[in-house]
Amino acid sequence: MRILVLWLAMVMLAGPAPAQGSGKLTPLPSGPALLDWVRTTLAELLDGMTGIERDDNPNVFIVRTTDPALPVFALTALEQGPVATEVLTAEFISRFRASCDPLRRRGELAEYAIFFEIHTVECPRSTSRANYYWIMAYKDSDRAQLIAMVGNIEHAAAINARGDRFAAVLGMRIYPTPRSLPEALAVAQAHAGDLHEYDPSQFSLLGEGRARLRVKSMILTGKPGTWEVTAPSCSAVRMREIEDGPPVTVDSEITIDLQRLATLVTRQGPDLVLRAGAYGTLTRLVSSPNPMTIPLAVEDGSLAPDSPNHAELDSLLLAWERFCATASPVSGLTVPAPAGAAPSMPSTTSRPLP
C-alpha cells in the first residue's frame, strides 16, 4: 500500500504520460503550459477558485477564491536540478529571509529515492506587511521542484488547511501542532520543539495548566520517563523530569518565567538576539545526595539557527509568542520573487496582492 501511495504521488506530480510510467518527475512546463499544469496538478490547492492570473513573475500565480478565510493568495511553482529539498527551500526564501522567523518543518514523506518535505515560515517583518508561507519541496534523483503558497499571516490557518489537504492526497505525514501552553512547553523541553519527534498520543492535559508527556528517553539519563508541566501562568512555569521505576525518580526540576525570557530573547530574522540575564532555574536531583540548583540564563550576543542552544530557546520563545503574547494582525500581502528559478526570472514582483 505504501508503494502504491508513492507511485500515485509521483504520477500526480509528473508530466505527460510517457514520463509517468518511469516513476520519475518530469520538468515543469514553461510559458502558458505552466498554468495548465497548475490547474490540473494542484487542484486541491485551488478549491473554490474564482480566478487565477499570472503575476509579472512567470512562476507566480494570483489565486482568488470563494473562501472567506482565504480570499486571495499567491501560488509559486519552480524547479532546479538534483539539489536537496532543504537547499531549494532555503534558496526560495533567501531574498526575504531577514524578515522571517525560523523555518518550521510541518511534514514529510520519504521512501526509496523519493522525498517530500513541507516547511512553513512566518515573515512578520515583510516591509510593512506580514506574510505566511507554506512550502512543499520534493525530489527524485534527477531534479527538485517546489510548490509554495503565500498569504497574509492572519490567514495562516487557512493556508495550512489547504496545503495539508493536498499533502494528505500524497500520503504525507503532517506533524501535530501544540494546542495549549502546557503542551508547547512539554514539547519544547522534551524535544527542543522538534515536532518530528513528538507523539501526541503520549501527551495528557490534566487541567488547570497541568500536563504530562511520556518519552522514550530522558535528557539526563537516557531512560524512559515522563515530563510533568505545571503552568498556571506564563511567568510561573514548573517542569519535572521523572524517570520510570522502580524506583520512580525525579531527575530534575525546572522553573521558567516566559515573560522574563521574552525580554531577554528577541528575533532578528531567523537569528535570536540575547540580552544577558536569567529567566529560570534548573535543579539536578539525579545521582547526587545534594541537589544542585543553577540559573537558566543567557549572555549578550546572538544565535544563528545552527547554534547549539538556538532550538531550545526558540521553542520556548515560540510558546510565549503563541500562548502568552498578544499578536496584532497586519493586513496586506507582498509576493517576493522566488529564488532558485531560471536565470531569466525577475528577482522581484512589481506589485502587491490586492
Side-chain angles (χ1 to χ4, degrees), residues 249-328:
T249 306
V250 178
D251 292 343
S252 69
E253 291 186 352
I254 297 171
T255 65
I256 293 177
D257 183 342
L258 286 178
Q259 302 288 15
R260 172 69 172 161
L261 175 76
T263 67
L264 302 176
V265 182
T266 56
R267 299 195 186 281
Q268 188 175 74
D271 297 342
L272 298 178
V273 179
L274 312 179
R275 183 169 66 87
Y279 59 89
T281 62
L282 166 63
T283 301
R284 298 185 185 277
L285 303 168
V286 66
S287 302
S288 174
N290 300 313
M292 179 178 64
T293 298
I294 60 175
L296 295 175
V298 295
E299 301 293 335
D300 290 331
S302 64
L303 295 176
D306 58 353
S307 300
N309 296 325
H310 185 282
E312 178 183 354
L313 289 173
D314 171 64
S315 61
L316 290 173
L317 184 60
L318 183 63
W320 178 83
E321 290 167 343
R322 290 182 174 174
F323 300 104
C324 302
T326 301
S328 300

Side-chain angles (χ1 to χ4, degrees), residues 17-231:
Q20 293 177 6
S22 67
K24 305 283 284 184
L25 293 171
T26 60
L28 289 181
S30 58
L34 181 59
L35 176 57
D36 293 336
W37 183 90
V38 168
R39 286 179 179 274
T40 56
T41 308
L42 309 182
E44 287 79 7
L45 298 182
L46 305 177
D47 183 48
M49 182 182 71
T50 60
I52 182 170
E53 58 187 86
R54 188 184 295 272
D55 190 66
D56 294 340
N57 188 301
N59 287 71
V60 179
F61 301 91
I62 309 303
V63 180
R64 303 178 190 280
T65 80
T66 58
D67 183 0
L70 188 62
V72 59
F73 64 93
L75 183 64
T76 297
L78 57 87
E79 177 180 295
Q80 267 199 23
V83 299
T85 53
E86 59 267 26
V87 171
L88 184 54
T89 299
E91 291 187 356
F92 171 67
I93 68 170
S94 63
R95 298 182 188 277
F96 48 94
R97 189 72 182 95
S99 68
C100 301
D101 292 346
L103 280 167
R104 312 290 179 195
R105 284 204 302 172
R106 186 165 181 84
E108 65 181 18
L109 172 64
E111 195 85 11
Y112 304 109
I114 303 170
F115 185 69
F116 293 79
E117 189 170 46
I118 296 174
H119 282 93
T120 60
V121 62
E122 297 181 359
C123 300
R125 297 166 296 278
S126 297
T127 63
S128 61
R129 302 172 175 88
N131 293 341
Y132 184 83
Y133 292 79
W134 183 97
I135 305 166
M136 184 176 80
Y138 51 98
K139 67 179 293 292
D140 61 12
S141 59
D142 297 327
R143 58 182 47 84
Q145 296 174 352
L146 179 145
I147 298 164
M149 292 189 295
V150 55
N152 295 330
I153 202 167
E154 62 204 64
H155 298 150
I159 292 172
N160 283 341
R162 189 173 289 255
D164 293 351
R165 285 197 300 270
F166 177 67
V169 173
L170 304 180
M172 295 186 67
R173 176 196 173 203
I174 302 299
Y175 302 154
T177 300
R179 296 157 293 177
S180 65
L181 177 61
E183 185 176 11
L185 290 168
V187 175
Q189 195 59 49
H191 305 299
D194 186 356
L195 296 171
H196 172 72
E197 302 291 337
Y198 174 48
D199 180 359
S201 69
Q202 300 302 304
F203 176 78
S204 302
L205 189 61
L206 306 177
E208 299 181 354
R210 296 171 53 245
R212 182 180 295 125
L213 175 62
R214 291 279 306 157
V215 294
K216 297 178 180 178
S217 176
M218 307 301 290
I219 294 175
L220 293 179
T221 66
K223 298 178 180 179
T226 300
W227 278 99
E228 284 190 354
V229 179
T230 304

